[in-house]
Amino acid sequence: MTKEEYKNSVELLNKYAHYYYVLDDPLTTDEVYDKLYHEVLAFEEEDPSSVLAMSPTQRVGGTPLDKFVKAEHPSRMWSLEDIFNAEELKKWLEKTGKLVENISFYCEPKFDGASLNLIYEDGQLSQAITRGDGVVGEDVTQNAKTIQSVPLRIDHLGKIEIRGEVVIFKDDFEKINIERAKEGEAIFANPRNAAAGSLRQLDSKITAKRNLVFLPYGIGENSLDEHLLHKRMALVYSWGFREPPRRKTTAGFDAIEAVYEQMKVERDSYAMMLDGMVIKVDQIEAQQEMGYTVKVPRWAVAYKFPAVEKITTIKEIILQVGRSGAVTPVAVVEPTPIEGVVVERASLHNFDEINRKDIRIGDKVIILRSGDVIPKIIKVLTHERDGSQHVYVRPTECPVCASELLDEGALTKCQNLTCSARVVNAMIYFASKPCLNIDGLGDKIVKTLYTEGLIENVIDLFSLELDRLLELEGFKEKKSQKLLDSIAGAKGCDCWRFINSLGIEHIGEVGSKSLCEHFGMRFSAATKEELLAIDGFGEEMANSLLEFVRVNSENIQTLNAILQPVEPALKEEAAQNPFKAKVVVLTGSMSESRGNIKTMLEALGAKVSGSVSKKTDYVIYGEDAGSKYDKAVALSVETITEEQMREMLL
Ligand code: IVH
């Protein structure tokens, strides 16, 4: 490689990375990227004096630091005033309009992460400083360089500060916590803490693994000619920074309120966490005229989304027994409205979590509700304790059947197979959507049928009689007949639904589908060797199935005779095509629902999986593809667009 070729290769690698990390629109495969990266690395090792600062190899490396060095921001990093409702917005707009007339406003998300100041000198990233107190922060340059959406070089002469928020995408956050829980490390309370913690790692190799994303929101010291903020930001994006999922320059209360409402609705579908919308005066001169209070600019405001964190009190801790016998503690809290829902319970995960967080009955706690998941306790307000709180005593007996509980580390289990909670939950699962999908047979009805003595197990469902149902309160003829019809309708179900409905530990929808594909209804006779030969089947799954079959073979036979499941057309029967027998993952939004595309691919003999691993053959991506795409690239899994997929099938 000549020096010239080296320079071109570095530029090409940067272009690939930009399309991948910033535009979410990859130009090539991982294989091509990796090959070129290694060629560049080899050249640099031969000739260290020629290494270009913008080379992607310069992102990683560097020895871990002992501590961070303090650094002063060239110009101050401000904070924002918060407003919480339409009335406050109206007041703020009136106040602002009085200061300067005829202004418009630039609206963009308020990202929930850690703020970072990037300093570029003559195009080179020279320093990255955390916000700190706004005047002095910490130098985290080495860590910032590992963030792929931070350009090492920009097309701009002179000195400029680019300010933005470092975030972790929501699904990466979940993954980090799962990983940390497995390793026995404390889990991060929210993506903001995870982002801040990752940015402040002394070892930049750890930062590099966290998939941090930099989202620019402003400019500090600069020598730009542009007089409008939205044009300045467009310039920033053109230098290779990532754009926000939505931004709008507009004027007037109604228009701004409309953008806010839209963002509030859309935010669950964004990859990153938002905690509001920031409204900024678009005209830079007007901004300068308005100036700052001691703390915040007068020309900008953060219009917060309704709080998802609230303080409440733990009234008691109750126990739930799942279908596998796992006993999980749940906190019953003082009813608290959050985002239009009255929260009465918060999940506690497991008993170790209660100890680790030192959660006591009577404690004041901060609960967090995000999306529609059950809220979790993120902090115990220990300083609010007044002596009336008491420590929760871990149970030794099943709260439902009083059998002795078995402590399996992270899990505590009721061993009694006939424990009514286990039996009822297993039946609820049997009828649920990913299993036999029996319409009208939900939690409540299953419980009633069980407590009234009509059913003891799932087999009894198929001999229910209309007369007996009609004796129950609230069971009218029409409803009862409908229920019997939908139970009867489960006959002839897909083989995989049959397997899934058995509720075998460690074997979910994907596992059931593989079993069905490989063995059909012969799955219960499969040997351990045969099971382990299936892609994605590990020791745990194989043992669990074998043990289940050993204990339940009679029930499986009876259910089989009743349901007469339909075996799939075996894989071999799909005509030859590029996706046959391939493991594919779908991500991002596509031209039709992913469910439809999944069905189509399955019909072609592909296995559609929910997560990316080394065994994945293709990741097919649509718009706004997120971390699954990133993971594919990291694992060198081939990525193709929906369009390419369709072309391959022509
Ligand atoms: S502008 C002079 N814009 O929120 C204006 N800040 O509460 C200063 N933040 O420290 C900030 N998204 O870390 C601005 N679109 C956005 C933002 C944003 C997130 C953070 C930032 C700032 C804090 C202020």
Side-chain angles (χ1 to χ4, degrees), residues 78-80 82 108-115 131 164-165 217 278 280 292 297 299-300 302:
W78 296 89
S79 168
L80 287 169
D82 290 333
E108 66 177 343
K110 183 169 194 301
F111 304 111
D112 203 5
S115 48
R131 184 179 183 282
E165 202 81 352
Y217 62 65
V278 183
K280 297 170 184 169
Y292 301 80
W299 47 267

Side-chain angles (χ1 to χ4, degrees), residues 77 98 192 228 531:
M77 286 186 85
K98 274 187 199 146
R192 179 185 349 120
L228 295 173
L531 291 171

